[in-house]
Amino acid sequence: MPEILLVDDNRTMLLLLKTQLMKRGYRITTANDGAQALQILEAREDIQFVLSDWMMPGIDGIELCRRVKSAHYARYLFFVLLSGKDDQQSIIDGINAGADDFVVKDTHIDELVARIQAGFRTLALHNEITSKNTQLDKAYATIKKDLESAGDLLRRLLPQEKKLIGVELSYVSIPSAQIGGDMLGYMQLDEEHVAFYLLDVAGHGVSSALMSFSVQQSISVSSDKGAVVKTSIPEPPYYRLNAPHEVLARLNDLYLSGAENMLYFTMAYATLNVKTGQLAFAVAGHPPLVWLHSQTGEAEFIGQDSFVVGAFDFAEYETSYIQLEPGDKVWIYSDGITEAENGAMQFSEPRFKDLVVTLKDHPTAVQTELLVKRVREWQQADNFDDDISVMAVEWTGYPEGEQACNMRLSTKVSAQFYK
């Protein structure tokens, strides 16, 4: 049964209205003035409808309306002002005080009841929306917590080792949300070769993150899909390393998108012979790599024009070779860095290359962190609009007679996340 708080200092009017409204199916609670009405509303949270006289001693109807309609009041009420005045200014004053409706006292009871019914319909709609918003808030909180847990889990699964025999790596990956679509890492393929890669799935959120993780699993030599990076052969050592362009082609076959699920990614994949310094690499729609020469201190772009992975069944890729000198570095990055914005300007690939040169004298271990810090300072903002990832790989040379200390073929993704 709908409940109304009826407020009037005139006992006769109070009894008359109470009787008429109760006959029409309403449950009525009464108050003799605004102060008593506030006390009742504080004790009775189930009351959401107030029908109040305007002129009362102490807290009158206008002041009562202002208080219960203020932003600080605990809940929503539908408020109808009753008045003996029907001039325009009185109506304006009542509406400005927050009243939902204004009724002259000599209005016929049937019209008053019709307005009350309209008020309860508004209340019902408000309560329904509030309930749905509460459910949405709870669902969002659950999803947010799950995403944060997923992000924490990914960070915990990442190894901390950044040095292999002949190689030192430095890397940073920052998702634009709780989880992102970038993935970077390295693998010890055998005693002479290390593979490293960076991929950037189109879009953001759960689907992109799941795809990036799936791709990582596909190229991991410890997975059942290890044939992506190696091919079994009948003679010792019973495998051959697939060239970078073959790795990209096999990933393209695995992740070719359908019309209903258009997910694709850019990628750079490279293998380094840690004994000779020869680097083989292939690029799939990815920004060019930056090769920093240790002897001259100069940097250059290396890469190819190519298709993204997962979009076209006719895509072909190419392997290129360069010869590194000890101390040379190869930088791989996602376009979240080069497309960082300061007003109408983007950070850009040339500015990235120049910054790599600027940071060349710092220790390799901190160069990627310093680069991200400089980009933040340039864009004058701490957060990035897109996922960003950057990895620097230095060939330090291979000491004769030294054995690799970690030749496990199960090295997982190596990426460092910063919030």
Side-chain angles (χ1 to χ4, degrees):
M1 183 181 296
E3 178 120 14
I4 297 173
L5 174 60
L6 182 59
V7 189
D8 200 320
D9 63 325
N10 187 314
R11 293 183 180 276
T12 301
M13 180 61 70
L14 196 67
L15 180 59
L16 178 62
L17 271 178
K18 177 180 179 180
T19 302
Q20 290 177 324
L21 292 176
M22 288 180 66
K23 288 180 179 179
R24 285 164 172 79
Y26 295 98
R27 188 164 53 198
I28 306 297
T29 300
T30 60
N32 296 320
D33 54 41
Q36 186 181 14
L38 288 173
Q39 293 177 354
I40 293 172
L41 290 172
E42 184 176 350
R44 295 280 307 279
E45 293 187 359
D46 58 307
I47 297 177
Q48 289 188 279
F49 197 107
V50 179
L51 183 60
S52 175
D53 185 23
W54 182 317
M55 303 299 294
M56 295 182 295
I59 299 177
D60 62 11
I62 285 287
E63 179 60 23
L64 175 62
C65 184
R66 286 197 185 99
R67 293 195 187 187
V68 301
K69 285 293 190 176
S70 72
H72 305 292
Y73 200 70
R75 66 183 190 275
Y76 176 76
L77 298 172
F78 195 89
F79 200 101
V80 178
L81 266 176
L82 286 171
S83 176
K85 305 176 183 179
D86 62 353
D87 60 284
Q88 186 180 37
Q89 188 58 48
S90 296
I91 297 174
I92 292 172
D93 291 342
I95 299 300
N96 285 339
D100 298 287
D101 203 353
F102 184 95
V103 180
V104 179
K105 278 191 172 182
D106 60 2
T107 298
H108 192 277
I109 187 62
D110 290 340
E111 180 181 342
L112 176 61
V113 169
R115 293 188 181 218
I116 291 173
Q117 289 173 343
F120 274 107
R121 287 195 295 271
T122 300
L123 269 176
L125 179 60
H126 172 271
N127 292 339
E128 181 181 359
I129 293 173
T130 300
S131 176
K132 289 182 178 179
N133 286 340
T134 299
Q135 294 174 20
L136 287 173
D137 288 343
K138 290 180 179 179
Y140 174 77
T142 300
I143 292 171
K144 185 173 183 292
K145 184 177 179 180
D146 288 345
L147 290 176
E148 290 173 348
S149 297
D152 289 339
L153 180 59
L154 287 175
R155 285 188 286 273
R156 291 180 183 181
L157 290 175
L158 299 172
Q160 298 301 311
E161 184 179 6
K162 299 178 184 177
K163 289 186 178 181
L164 302 173
I165 296 298
V167 179
E168 183 173 358
L169 301 99
S170 175
Y171 32 77
V172 173
S173 186
I174 305 175
S176 59
Q178 287 94 339
I179 53 177
D182 285 5
M183 182 69 74
L184 57 81
Y186 69 84
M187 296 173 291
Q188 185 85 54
L189 297 176
D190 58 23
E191 292 185 357
E192 295 187 2
H193 295 89
V194 172
F196 51 92
Y197 58 89
L198 192 153
L199 64 100
D200 180 3
V201 180
H204 309 281
V206 175
S207 58
S208 297
L210 287 175
M211 186 172 191
S212 66
F213 181 75
S214 176
V215 174
Q216 183 272 327
Q217 292 296 299
S218 295
I219 62 180
S220 171
V221 293
S222 65
S223 74
D224 293 336
K225 299 177 181 178
V228 169
V229 297
K230 289 184 176 183
T231 297
S232 297
I233 58 176
E235 301 84 15
Y238 304 108
Y239 71 87
R240 72 169 179 85
L241 298 182
N242 293 329
H245 73 275
E246 294 178 294
V247 171
L248 295 182
R250 295 188 184 200
L251 289 173
N252 190 61
D253 291 339
L254 280 173
Y255 291 96
L256 195 61
S257 300
E260 71 286 349
N261 184 26
M262 192 62 178
L263 273 178
Y264 58 87
F265 56 93
T266 68
M267 185 173 183
Y269 178 85
T271 59
L272 173 64
N273 187 314
V274 297
K275 289 188 174 181
T276 67
Q278 185 184 61
L279 181 82
F281 69 94
V283 176
H286 203 76
L289 286 64
V290 174
W291 179 11
L292 178 66
H293 298 270
S294 59
Q295 293 184 357
T296 64
E298 297 178 350
E300 63 176 295
F301 288 117
I302 54 174
Q304 312 111 1
D305 292 330
S306 56
F307 294 102
V308 298
V309 179
F312 307 105
D313 58 2
F314 55 81
E316 296 182 352
Y317 305 99
E318 174 187 355
T319 295
S320 298
Y321 298 87
I322 60 173
Q323 180 59 52
L324 301 181
E325 298 295 331
D328 282 8
K329 293 186 182 74
V330 175
W331 288 72
I332 311 177
Y333 53 95
S334 64
D335 60 11
I337 289 183
T338 54
E339 293 179 1
E341 296 181 346
N342 183 333
M345 285 193 305
Q346 291 189 338
F347 191 73
S348 77
E349 292 169 0
R351 191 175 276 109
F352 178 91
K353 178 168 71 72
D354 293 342
L355 184 52
V356 165
V357 173
T358 301
L359 297 174
K360 62 183 174 58
D361 294 327
H362 292 276
T364 300
V366 301
Q367 285 185 12
T368 51
E369 294 179 51
L370 290 174
L371 184 139
V372 171
K373 180 181 178 183
R374 299 286 178 85
V375 177
R376 281 192 173 113
E377 292 171 351
W378 177 86
Q379 72 172 5
Q380 299 179 2
D382 288 336
N383 298 323
F384 295 94
D385 293 332
D386 194 4
D387 304 330
I388 70 162
S389 295
V390 58
M391 175 165 55
V393 180
E394 177 184 0
W395 184 53
T396 59
Y398 194 89
E400 290 295 331
E402 185 170 354
Q403 297 299 315
C405 62
N406 180 8
M407 290 299 120
R408 292 178 301 168
L409 300 185
S410 59
T411 306
K412 297 291 185 182
V413 178
S414 179
Q416 185 168 345
F417 286 76
Y418 293 85
K419 288 187 177 179

